[in-house]
Amino acid sequence: MPTRLQDGLSVSLLQWLRSACADETREVVVRIGDTESLSQIIHLLENAGLKRIQKLSATSVHGTVTAEALSRVSHCLGVCSVTAFDRERS
């Protein structure tokens, strides 16, 4: 799977974004900076459109996002990257 990022998004999410309808959803992993407050970032992610948020670690969360909200989520303060959630790896 490609790991390169563009604007904080993985290549697979960028490809999905180009062909997805605005209301299609995708499971993603959002990684945040080490010095950021997870609770504060979760609040920002909720406002940006990330749904069903679950904490994976001190610096990452899992959630569901629509194609329309993906860009807002990736540009939230404190977000380092957004990648597709891979159930086989979790």
Side-chain angles (χ1 to χ4, degrees), residues 61-76:
V61 296
H62 165 260
T64 304
V65 68
T66 62
E68 181 181 33
L70 184 57
S71 180
R72 290 192 307 270
V73 167
S74 69
H75 288 98
C76 275

Side-chain angles (χ1 to χ4, degrees), residues 4-59:
R4 292 181 305 144
L5 298 174
Q6 179 179 335
D7 293 333
L9 293 172
S10 66
V11 171
S12 63
L13 282 178
L14 284 170
Q15 290 170 338
W16 171 73
L17 186 58
R18 290 185 183 120
S19 63
C21 295
D23 61 346
E24 281 186 61
T25 61
R26 188 84 185 256
E27 290 184 70
V28 295
V29 173
V30 179
R31 300 203 191 286
I32 66 166
D34 294 340
T35 60
E36 302 295 336
S37 162
L38 186 60
S39 60
Q40 230 176 7
I41 300 301
I42 287 174
H43 180 71
L44 294 173
L45 292 170
E46 288 172 336
N47 288 339
L50 191 65
K51 305 291 182 202
R52 297 193 298 237
I53 300 172
Q54 298 174 341
K55 180 181 172 184
L56 295 177
S57 71
T59 58

Side-chain angles (χ1 to χ4, degrees), residues 74-85:
S74 69
H75 288 98
C76 275
L77 178 71
V79 170
C80 296
S81 68
V82 182
T83 56
F85 181 71

